[in-house]
Amino acid sequence: MIKLSFTIIVLWVLLALNWEQFNTTVDKYQLVDKTRELVYNMKEKVINDE
């Protein structure tokens, strides 16, 4: 339990320190739009294959 808590805290701190860079990368490569498009395409394939 202590190991898990320590790992979560370390990941939280790393994310907090790199948040601006993370947002810049996501915006630069339009990752949200591409992921959304991929999910919708997969959803359509599943619906059409039924």
Side-chain angles (χ1 to χ4, degrees), residues 1 15 24 26 31 33-35 42 46:
M1 183 69 182
L15 180 64
T24 303
V26 169
L31 297 178
D33 295 335
K34 289 180 182 177
T35 304
M42 288 172 53
V46 169

Side-chain angles (χ1 to χ4, degrees), residues 10-50:
V10 168
L11 290 174
W12 185 265
V13 169
L14 289 174
L15 180 64
L17 293 175
N18 293 308
W19 185 252
E20 191 64 36
Q21 183 179 0
F22 174 74
N23 279 341
T24 303
T25 303
V26 169
D27 290 342
K28 181 179 177 184
Y29 294 107
Q30 299 176 341
L31 297 178
V32 174
D33 295 335
K34 289 180 182 177
T35 304
R36 184 179 297 141
E37 183 179 325
L38 180 69
V39 170
Y40 287 149
N41 287 342
M42 288 172 53
K43 180 180 169 186
E44 289 298 318
K45 282 184 178 181
V46 169
I47 290 172
N48 292 334
D49 287 344
E50 288 181 348

